[in-house]
Amino acid sequence: QDRPTIETAFKTYLSWVVARSLTSEESEVSYVPMYKNTEALAYVRRLLKTINQHKCEKNNSNFRSIICNVWNKVVESNQKPSKCLGRLALLQAWKGIVSSLENSEIGVTNNERIFYEEFGLLMIEFKLNNTADVDDDSNPNLIWDSPGAELERRRKRRVDRAEKIKKRKDAPRIEDLTEENDLPRIEELT
């Protein structure tokens, strides 16, 4: 099972990129543009359309040939690879898909290229079975792990950090705080 599907990963990526753009100062994420919702959505739509029409080229690799056979059968049967296939298949077709976009009549803008490159890097950086002992937030896991798994790990880490603070002897006590704004806040994600 190659889950999540390409389409699901793009929905997660789109949400993450838009949220980052809405909540970050421009200087905080200077390596990526601040995308407007409509701009990021247009990039995802264009990329999904290209993915769903793409014919995967085989090479000497047996694994790639198998993946490309499956990919091409999906396209030939008028189904969408983005709804049927996942990360392992997309890794095999990615260079050809990006090349198709770049060589199209309209080409790609600099912001669009950065958007696609970041997604490609997140796809490459994700490693299967690397999530058990992750202590830091992992953006590749956010996109490519089973839906909600990375968010649950992040929530658990926040709760664990709050519990450690509560157990410290020098931690502030609620009755010692003078203003309501001084109260520690723990957010629960649902």
Side-chain angles (χ1 to χ4, degrees), residues 1-12:
Q1 288 263 355
D2 194 11
R3 296 287 178 228
T5 63
I6 296 165
E7 183 179 75
T8 301
F10 269 113
K11 286 178 182 177
T12 305

Side-chain angles (χ1 to χ4, degrees), residues 118-161:
E118 182 180 37
F119 182 82
L121 286 172
L122 291 169
M123 179 174 48
I124 291 166
E125 288 174 5
F126 177 77
K127 297 193 180 17
L128 298 175
N129 301 321
N130 75 341
T131 59
D133 296 318
V134 178
D135 289 333
D136 295 321
D137 291 350
S138 169
N139 294 330
N141 287 345
L142 183 65
I143 308 301
W144 289 104
D145 205 350
S146 59
E150 176 63 14
L151 291 176
E152 179 58 28
R153 282 190 293 276
R154 290 178 184 196
R155 186 197 66 76
K156 185 179 179 334
R157 283 193 297 271
R158 283 194 308 274
V159 168
D160 290 347
R161 279 193 301 266

Side-chain angles (χ1 to χ4, degrees), residues 1-182:
Q1 288 263 355
D2 194 11
R3 296 287 178 228
T5 63
I6 296 165
E7 183 179 75
T8 301
F10 269 113
K11 286 178 182 177
T12 305
Y13 177 64
L14 177 63
S15 297
W16 177 67
V17 165
V18 170
R20 178 182 63 195
S21 292
L22 291 173
T23 61
S24 298
E25 297 286 328
E26 189 130 7
S27 61
E28 289 179 38
V29 284
S30 60
Y31 60 94
V32 292
M34 306 298 280
Y35 299 104
K36 295 177 183 164
N37 294 0
T38 54
E39 179 184 24
L41 184 58
Y43 296 159
V44 168
R45 284 183 176 158
R46 181 170 183 219
L47 187 54
L48 286 174
K49 183 177 180 181
T50 303
I51 286 170
N52 290 329
Q53 296 171 346
H54 181 73
K55 290 284 194 156
C56 186
E57 293 182 28
K58 302 172 191 172
N59 66 12
N60 295 336
S61 164
N62 198 24
F63 179 72
R64 181 178 169 90
S65 293
I66 292 168
I67 295 292
C68 286
N69 278 336
V70 170
W71 184 289
N72 293 338
K73 295 273 187 209
V74 169
V75 172
E76 289 165 9
S77 67
N78 292 321
Q79 294 184 45
K80 296 179 177 183
S82 65
K83 290 185 181 278
C84 306
L85 305 174
R87 181 183 155 273
L88 295 176
L90 187 57
L91 278 168
Q92 300 304 312
W94 185 249
K95 283 185 183 178
I97 291 164
V98 172
S99 180
S100 293
L101 287 165
E102 290 173 342
N103 295 327
S104 69
E105 285 183 26
I106 61 173
V108 295
T109 64
N110 189 51
N111 280 1
E112 192 174 6
R113 180 176 287 107
I114 292 169
F115 187 86
Y116 300 150
E117 285 174 358
E118 182 180 37
F119 182 82
L121 286 172
L122 291 169
M123 179 174 48
I124 291 166
E125 288 174 5
F126 177 77
K127 297 193 180 17
L128 298 175
N129 301 321
N130 75 341
T131 59
D133 296 318
V134 178
D135 289 333
D136 295 321
D137 291 350
S138 169
N139 294 330
N141 287 345
L142 183 65
I143 308 301
W144 289 104
D145 205 350
S146 59
E150 176 63 14
L151 291 176
E152 179 58 28
R153 282 190 293 276
R154 290 178 184 196
R155 186 197 66 76
K156 185 179 179 334
R157 283 193 297 271
R158 283 194 308 274
V159 168
D160 290 347
R161 279 193 301 266
E163 290 299 322
K164 285 179 186 175
I165 290 171
K166 282 173 42 178
K167 291 179 182 178
R168 285 189 355 217
K169 293 181 191 244
D170 62 339
R173 297 179 314 155
I174 291 179
E175 54 270 7
D176 294 339
L177 299 173
T178 57
E179 293 184 26
E180 187 174 306
N181 291 341
D182 291 335

